[in-house]
Amino acid sequence: MSVQSAIKRKTAPDIRARKNGEPIVMLTSYHAHTAALVDRYCDVILVGDSLGNVMHGFETTVPVTLDMMILQGHAVMRGSQHALVVVDMPFGSYEASKEEAFHSAVRILKETHCGAVKLEGGARMAETVAFLSERGVPVMGHIGLTPQSINTLGSFRAQGRDEGSWDPILNDAKAISDAGAFSVVIEAVAEPLARKITKTIAIPTIGIGASAACDGQVLVLEDMLGMTERSPRFVRRFGDLAAQIDASIAAYASAVTDGSFPAREHLYGVAVTTTTPG
Ligand code: KIV
């Protein structure tokens, strides 16, 4: 049996087919070890450019490079077997032209072996989404709050909180869906608008701060595990890992200091060689 037929991963068409079906479960991961854990429960693993904030301590995702995304995308592919792995296209790797977007996306697919890419932007990116989709690159869209545009937005603020501002966001969703994306992330959008988008467009919506009306949900893994200091209002902390890690490291430091670690069971003895008298 070939390796390809032994491992059955979810595909972009599988996720596309989940519109109005069982909710799509998605989390981020940037490493092989967390990918292996996430893979047990999630349909989609997103190698998000949030790795710039979470792994590298950047204030925004703007400094993240294509090489950084490819390195971590490859690690996540090695750690997972079942979920569809989607790799974010970082700021500056796709906006200038649809051809530039295609070359960046092809590098991501060839060098990581992932199943799809994600890019930010609505109507303005529709031509690019169509260009990629028609050429064998499955695209997940990302509308509402688009963190890569922080320098023009000015702040990370929820979108669509007054009804008068809904039309451009609804148009973005329609444009991305009509262009051939297989799904779309909706970030930080008022609940009634997220509901309206989900009812209107043909592809699954995956919400982050966009309510349970969406066809699926995504969170940043480290936020939901309680590892990050600050997290947005839409995050539920399903764990308290920062406190557990802190306690474990404190216990290690005190065991090293008081000499109780390493103990007898952690030691290698000397092998005893017996010689038989001749
Ligand atoms: O980069 C990321 O983690 C994301 C999610 C917040 C959707 O784009």
Side-chain angles (χ1 to χ4, degrees):
M1 195 192 290
S2 75
V3 176
Q4 265 172 350
S5 58
I7 298 172
K8 174 74 180 97
R9 270 190 193 272
K10 290 203 167 77
T11 62
D14 291 336
I15 301 305
R16 168 72 183 79
R18 295 273 289 273
K19 180 71 188 175
N20 299 324
E22 200 190 329
I24 297 161
V25 184
M26 173 162 144
L27 279 174
T28 61
S29 165
Y30 322 122
H31 326 93
H33 64 277
T34 53
L37 296 168
V38 170
D39 192 48
R40 296 171 61 183
Y41 303 99
C42 288
D43 302 301
V44 184
I45 303 178
L46 173 66
V47 185
D49 63 353
S50 53
L51 65 78
N53 313 100
V54 177
M55 284 180 69
H56 297 278
F58 295 139
E59 278 290 309
T60 72
T61 53
V62 171
V64 174
T65 66
L66 193 54
D67 287 338
M68 288 161 83
M69 296 310 303
I70 289 173
L71 192 63
Q72 303 318 133
H74 201 186
V76 167
M77 282 299 291
R78 285 195 298 273
S80 61
Q81 297 188 51
H82 306 293
L84 170 67
V85 173
V86 179
V87 175
D88 250 342
M89 300 190 70
F91 179 68
S93 71
Y94 63 96
E95 300 91 333
S97 68
K98 52 192 194 302
E99 289 80 9
E100 181 199 43
F102 183 72
H103 292 308
S104 300
V106 166
R107 268 200 70 198
I108 293 176
L109 293 191
K110 278 184 188 284
E111 294 177 39
T112 70
H113 303 175
C114 74
V117 299
K118 176 166 85 56
L119 56 79
E120 293 185 8
R124 71 184 165 89
M125 293 311 304
E127 205 186 329
T128 297
V129 171
F131 191 81
L132 299 188
S133 308
E134 287 158 8
R135 285 163 180 76
V137 180
V139 181
M140 177 180 278
H142 184 154
I143 60 161
L145 178 66
T146 47
Q148 291 177 8
S149 303
I150 182 63
N151 289 316
T152 44
L153 290 173
S155 65
F156 297 112
R157 225 185 260 154
Q159 309 285 301
R161 295 194 75 174
D162 67 280
E163 218 170 322
S165 67
W166 285 13
D167 277 355
I169 306 172
L170 189 56
N171 284 343
D172 281 344
K174 284 186 193 153
I176 291 299
S177 173
D178 294 348
F182 70 93
S183 60
V184 63
V185 166
I186 309 183
E187 179 163 352
V189 159
E191 193 265 350
L193 175 57
R195 186 177 295 280
K196 185 163 185 185
I197 292 172
T198 302
K199 276 202 183 130
T200 306
I201 67 173
I203 58 174
T205 57
I206 302 177
I208 174 161
S211 87
C214 296
D215 297 296
Q217 298 295 323
V218 59
L219 284 177
V220 169
L221 180 69
E222 285 78 357
D223 282 343
M224 59 79 80
L225 291 176
M227 289 178 73
T228 43
E229 227 169 78
R230 282 174 296 132
S231 54
R233 165 201 170 115
F234 55 71
V235 173
R236 184 195 289 180
R237 292 183 170 243
F238 289 83
D240 190 15
L241 252 60
Q244 286 182 36
I245 292 171
D246 184 83
S248 306
I249 296 171
Y252 167 75
S254 85
V256 170
T257 310
D258 69 19
S260 62
F261 176 80
R264 182 172 275 283
E265 65 271 26
H266 307 118
L267 305 182
Y268 293 105
V270 177
V272 181
T273 44
T274 48
T275 43
T276 357

